Amino acid sequence: MTLTAALRAEWIKATSLWSTRVALAGYVLVVVAVSTGVAAAIGVEQARLDGAEYDPGVLAFYGLNFGHVAVIAFAVLLTASEYTHRTVHASLTAVPRRGVFLAAKVAVGAGLVLATAAVTAVVTLLATQAFMGEYAVGLATPGMLRATAAAALYPTLLAVVCMGVGLVLRDQTAALSLLVPLFFLVSPVLELVPGLQRAAVFLPDRAGQVALRLHDRPIDVFGPAVGLVVLAGWGAAALLGAWLLLRRRDA
Amino acid sequence: MIEVRSLTRRYGSVVAVDELTFDVAPGVVTAFLGRNGAGKSTTLRMLLGLDRPTGGTARVDGRAYADLPAPLHAVGALLDSSAPHPGRTGRDHLRWLAASNRIPSRRVADVLRLVDLSADAGRRVRGYSLGMRQRLGIAAALLGDPPVLLLDEPTNGLDPEGIRWLRGFLRDLAAEGRTVVVSSHLMGEVGLTADHLLVVGRGRLLADMPLAEFVAGQGGPRLRVRTPEPERLAGVLRATGAEVDLAGGALAVGGIAERRLGEVAARHGIPLLELRRDGARSLEDAFLALTAPVPTAAPREEVARP
């Protein structure tokens, strides 16, 4: 039983459900629509008001704040839902080595999110900039290529964190009700609390989003590359936890 | 070939599986029997590497399940605790299982035909009846053409026709030389199918013997005796070690042969008006007696063996 066979199995699993396809399609739709809508409605006005402070990365990928709910859902559907629907016993009798199972599942999940998010990032950039008039930027603008790459990598690494958490919690409802409020509400709000700001930027989503910006903010304690590394560290920790528990617990 | 040695599983202070030791031979259908909660499913899950034993080992072909290079080619399992994802089609469920063990995709169509699900393979499992789900599970177990089959309560949800089909099917699989283990909490469901019985109660092995021997051993003949002096006859028979129930004017006697009973009565000068066999107890009765919560038929400390 090899990793490639397990990868093929996970690929069929991930692509043979409506729910997972809807989650990925939802991500594309939400990110492109929200980003473009915001750019079209207030983009130029905002850029003029912000002046030198204007951050084209933040505006171009504004929709990611909503899109990551779809990423969380996708990650949970691949992991905790196997337990909720009791298919995990079949998975682990077919692929009994827990490390191979985990590696195949996370690789397929991350790969699908990366492909989806990369296409979405480019489309979003082009669509939003069409409404930005004199403030329009492109991949050639210094920092914008990196921000666009981050718009693909940030959701991918966030999905890895969520897949790890999904395998630890082993319950669809529990995983969704922890992750969605955490990354949609709690974490962004903590970043606004004066005493907590410098700690809040280390949270997975906040750290990853640092890489979307072209300008540093006063509260930032690290740059874009370190931001993605911090997020990847959360992902590694979540996977390590998942792996240890997969080995130790009854399926 | 399945080898289970001192297999034990505790959940806190509860012992679900208690020092189970048995082998399962190929070529016959082995029924794995016990009441609900007797430890059958836990034992099967430990055999499949899903639950971790507290102690002991469970091996298939001399290896722990997790060490099998392509497990679906070695063991086909239908687990009561497992289910296909409701949002996936039956065919896709089998496709990913096949891919995970490099089973050629034409095998998917073969097993679908075998369980008569070809026409419904494109539908989502959500819309399947209980019996269709069970047949899909059996198809999944057969996917790798495995020499060992472990089926946990396979008759659940099958209609009488389906149960009859399954019985014949399991016999055929065993006749091909496969090791076939079927768990059930109902004696009658497998009584017609099995060649060999493994009976567990409260996690312990109560019996490991051919079906015929189980029937003979547990059900032995009961004698029905009528006499004008029932109390006195009961007393002298009890003194020989026989079990005697006084029912109405007659006696139901076990643990003594007709000839010896007649001799004992004659020695004490007790006339017999009637002496006949009451017929063997049914298999179900024997099973219930053996697995009774407070055991009466068999001492739990001793394992009955052939």
Side-chain angles (χ1 to χ4, degrees):
Chain A
M1 218 287 313
T2 61
L3 184 62
T4 44
L7 283 167
R8 280 205 53 215
E10 288 298 330
W11 173 264
I12 295 170
K13 275 201 246 177
T15 54
S16 61
L17 289 174
W18 265 110
S19 51
T20 48
R21 285 181 255 167
V22 165
L24 290 180
Y27 175 81
V28 180
L29 199 73
V30 167
V31 173
V32 174
V34 171
S35 301
T36 312
V38 167
I42 60 160
V44 174
E45 174 99 1
Q46 192 68 38
R48 191 176 297 128
L49 278 173
D50 288 350
E53 299 278 285
Y54 169 62
D55 195 322
V58 172
L59 190 85
F61 301 116
Y62 187 75
L64 280 181
N65 289 306
F66 302 89
H68 62 209
V69 174
V71 168
I72 295 165
F74 178 75
V76 169
L77 285 169
L78 291 192
T79 54
S81 297
E82 279 220 22
Y83 286 89
T84 298
H85 292 301
R86 305 193 302 150
T87 48
V88 73
H89 279 180
S91 298
L92 291 176
T93 45
V95 183
R97 291 171 63 187
R98 307 300 193 257
V100 175
F101 169 71
L102 178 67
K105 184 168 278 299
V106 173
V108 166
L112 280 166
V113 174
L114 179 62
T116 308
V119 172
T120 307
V122 174
V123 171
T124 303
L125 180 67
L126 296 176
T128 52
Q129 299 314 303
F131 294 95
M132 292 304 294
E134 56 180 304
Y135 298 100
V137 292
L139 288 174
T141 312
M144 216 44 216
L145 181 62
R146 181 259 300 162
T148 308
L153 287 173
Y154 156 70
T156 306
L157 293 170
L158 192 68
V160 172
V161 175
C162 296
M163 283 190 276
V165 172
L167 287 171
V168 169
L169 292 181
R170 309 205 289 186
D171 182 82
Q172 189 175 301
T173 315
L176 285 175
S177 43
L178 171 74
L179 293 167
V180 172
L182 177 64
F183 293 140
F184 196 62
L185 290 171
V186 178
S187 162
V189 167
L190 285 180
E191 208 183 53
L192 301 175
V193 179
L196 296 174
Q197 286 175 326
R198 282 175 182 275
V201 290
F202 283 94
L203 287 168
D205 59 322
R206 297 298 104 193
Q209 289 203 6
V210 168
L212 295 174
R213 298 197 184 85
L214 297 198
H215 307 319
D216 290 348
R217 297 168 304 170
I219 62 162
D220 284 336
V221 286
F222 45 73
V226 176
L228 287 175
V229 170
V230 169
L231 174 54
W234 282 99
L239 293 187
L240 181 67
W243 182 68
L244 289 174
L245 287 172
L246 267 172
R247 283 168 54 96
R248 185 173 308 165
R249 288 197 289 210
D250 290 342
Chain B
M1 180 67 174
I2 295 168
E3 299 158 307
V4 171
R5 295 287 174 273
S6 302
L7 194 64
T8 301
R9 177 61 209 239
R10 291 191 197 92
Y11 297 97
S13 62
V14 179
V15 185
V17 175
D18 194 359
E19 297 271 336
L20 276 191
T21 295
F22 60 83
D23 288 340
V24 183
V28 293
V29 175
T30 299
F32 190 33
L33 301 172
R35 296 185 173 214
N36 287 328
K40 304 183 300 293
S41 294
T42 305
T43 301
L44 293 179
R45 284 203 304 272
M46 287 194 284
L47 252 171
L48 294 166
L50 293 171
D51 286 9
R52 292 169 63 85
T54 312
T57 54
R59 290 173 185 275
V60 181
D61 289 337
R63 300 189 203 217
Y65 187 87
D67 297 332
L68 294 168
L72 298 188
H73 289 285
V75 183
L78 171 72
L79 276 177
D80 206 26
S81 57
S82 183
H85 194 293
R88 206 170 269 132
T89 65
R91 181 179 287 111
D92 283 339
H93 177 66
L94 297 176
R95 276 181 61 230
W96 75 256
L97 278 169
S100 71
N101 277 242
R102 299 185 186 284
I103 295 163
S105 51
R106 66 182 140 72
R107 195 57 203 153
V108 170
D110 290 349
V111 294
L112 281 168
R113 209 174 307 116
L114 209 56
V115 300
D116 198 22
L117 265 183
S118 304
D120 299 295
R123 286 173 51 200
R124 282 171 214 292
V125 172
R126 182 174 292 123
Y128 281 19
S129 68
L130 198 53
M132 288 164 77
R133 281 171 209 233
Q134 205 67 349
R135 281 186 281 145
L136 181 62
I138 292 164
L142 295 168
L143 206 51
D145 199 15
V148 175
L149 281 156
L150 300 179
L151 308 174
D152 195 7
E153 305 272 356
T155 51
N156 273 358
L158 292 183
D159 53 21
E161 198 185 335
I163 292 174
R164 181 190 280 182
W165 167 81
L166 183 71
R167 282 178 183 146
F169 189 61
L170 294 178
R171 293 213 69 85
D172 292 347
L173 290 169
E176 290 166 21
R178 294 179 217 256
T179 305
V180 181
V181 179
V182 189
S183 87
S184 181
H185 64 282
L186 295 169
M187 187 77 201
E189 300 260 294
V190 291
L192 298 170
T193 323
D195 305 291
H196 196 91
L197 299 188
L198 285 169
V199 184
V200 289
R202 291 192 197 165
R204 291 183 157 223
L205 193 61
L206 300 177
D208 177 358
M209 58 176 64
L211 178 71
E213 200 172 313
F214 179 79
V215 175
Q218 296 295 327
R222 305 278 289 177
L223 302 176
R224 189 179 157 79
V225 188
R226 287 207 307 127
T227 171
E229 299 175 72
E231 258 105 47
R232 200 157 83 86
L233 181 61
V236 301
L237 288 176
R238 283 197 184 107
T240 69
E243 295 168 35
V244 183
D245 289 325
L246 271 161
L251 277 69
V253 186
I256 188 168
E258 288 106 318
R259 186 193 166 94
R260 174 135 169 73
L261 192 152
E263 287 167 1
V264 170
R267 200 181 315 137
H268 290 84
I270 302 168
L272 298 183
L273 306 178
E274 183 186 345
L275 170 58
R276 63 178 167 89
R277 281 190 180 218
D278 212 9
R281 279 189 289 172
S282 75
L283 209 50
E284 198 72 52
D285 288 345
F287 171 62
L288 288 173
L290 182 62
T291 61
V294 179
T296 51
R300 290 195 27 219
E301 310 314 317
E302 285 169 32
V303 171
R305 284 188 183 284

